[in-house]
Amino acid sequence: DTEVTQTPKHLVMGMTNKKSLKCEQHMGHRAMYWYKQKAKKPPELMFVYSYEKLSINESVPSRFSPECPNSSLLNLHLHALQPEDSALYLCASSQAGLAAYNEQFFGPGTRLTVL
Amino acid sequence: SQQGEEDPQALSIQEGENATMNCSYKTSINNLQWYRQNSGRGLVHLILIRSNEREKHSGRLRVTLDTSKKSSSLLITASRAADTASYFCATNLMGAQKLVFGQGTRLTINP
């Protein structure tokens, strides 16, 4: 299984809502990532988990809260978002160790709209 | 500023022609990777070239890396309509544990 799955595919939320994005992989990868991508822009790294521990936080606002409950799952909890947070949120995974030495496998993304 | 800069920003060619995209970067790297993204979808890894390699091939793809010029190119030969997508280079900086993506090239293959 070489697939990274993400749910939901689309999400519309108000600024006072709390929601979560989910990501799952069964490739045995021990590095997992969250990226944010605005239209016609490259993906921007948000968080990196290595062996279920947060290793990189790219100064992301606290209204985004990542969680890695086990080696296959990665969540992104959302609370009190702003309209400018509307974007495609991508999850990726790669083999263990230094994140960038290996190819990353991306999920299809969650299209988030904040009203 | 972005580590990777790509040109052209957009490229439109006829099916069957070759497409070349370029990526330049600013600091020393461990490796450089190319990814493809179809509209609104996730990225697909195409090829990884390490800093001590100069050229790699994968099917119709050919990637070159010139570390002295801090640049890389992606050549797609005999293009097909299905190659229509955005292509991103991504660099792994020396000592860093992350990839930094370039701005991307939007490639359109006209039938």
Side-chain angles (χ1 to χ4, degrees):
Chain A
D1 185 357
T2 58
E3 189 179 10
V4 176
T5 59
Q6 289 188 244
T7 55
K9 290 182 178 164
H10 301 275
L11 178 63
V12 179
M13 60 186 291
M15 289 190 285
T16 59
N17 292 157
K18 285 185 180 181
K19 297 287 184 183
S20 296
L21 309 184
K22 296 185 183 300
C23 173
E24 189 167 6
Q25 57 87 16
H26 294 287
M27 294 177 278
H29 291 167
R30 301 303 293 275
M32 296 186 76
Y33 318 83
W34 281 115
Y35 289 88
K36 173 183 178 180
Q37 186 179 28
K38 303 284 269 186
K40 297 186 178 181
K41 294 292 186 181
E44 295 179 359
L45 184 66
M46 301 174 71
F47 303 104
V48 179
Y49 273 83
S50 181
Y51 295 97
E52 296 85 69
K53 293 192 188 307
L54 184 65
S55 62
I56 295 179
N57 176 342
E58 291 287 282
S59 302
V60 178
S62 60
R63 57 186 184 268
F64 295 91
S65 176
E67 177 195 22
C68 190
N70 60 55
S71 60
S72 299
L73 294 174
L74 186 66
N75 299 320
L76 186 63
H77 303 297
L78 314 173
H79 175 53
L81 294 192
Q82 303 297 310
E84 59 265 27
D85 297 322
S86 297
L88 181 68
Y89 287 84
L90 295 163
C91 173
S93 70
S94 70
Q95 291 185 356
L98 290 178
Y101 287 133
N102 301 296
E103 65 178 289
Q104 295 186 17
F105 292 78
F106 281 80
T110 293
R111 176 74 60 187
L112 174 67
T113 302
V114 182
L115 301 177
Chain B
S1 62
Q2 289 289 336
Q3 162 73 343
E5 298 296 332
E6 295 180 61
D7 78 273
Q9 292 186 359
L11 178 62
S12 181
I13 61 174
Q14 294 299 119
E15 195 166 19
E17 294 180 339
N18 295 341
T20 299
M21 289 157 271
N22 302 296
C23 172
S24 61
Y25 56 92
K26 297 177 182 176
T27 59
S28 296
I29 61 172
N30 285 311
N31 67 62
L32 185 145
Q33 302 181 32
W34 286 91
Y35 288 81
R36 183 186 77 228
Q37 185 177 34
N38 291 90
S39 180
R41 303 293 293 170
L43 283 75
V44 174
H45 183 268
L46 296 176
I47 204 162
L48 182 155
I49 186 165
R50 302 195 190 284
S51 60
N52 61 353
E53 298 175 310
R54 292 297 167 259
E55 187 171 314
K56 285 190 84 168
H57 296 256
S58 177
R60 294 183 295 113
L61 306 180
R62 172 177 170 254
V63 168
T64 62
L65 179 65
D66 187 334
T67 52
S68 66
K69 295 182 180 178
K70 293 186 169 58
S71 67
S72 173
S73 68
L74 170 66
L75 169 67
I76 303 174
T77 61
S79 63
R80 305 167 182 168
D83 295 328
T84 294
S86 291
Y87 291 81
F88 294 94
C89 69
T91 50
N92 163 226
L93 309 184
M94 279 288 193
Q97 296 188 28
K98 65 181 184 181
L99 290 177
V100 178
F101 285 83
Q103 293 298 309
T105 294
R106 292 190 305 280
L107 175 64
T108 302
I109 308 299
N110 301 304

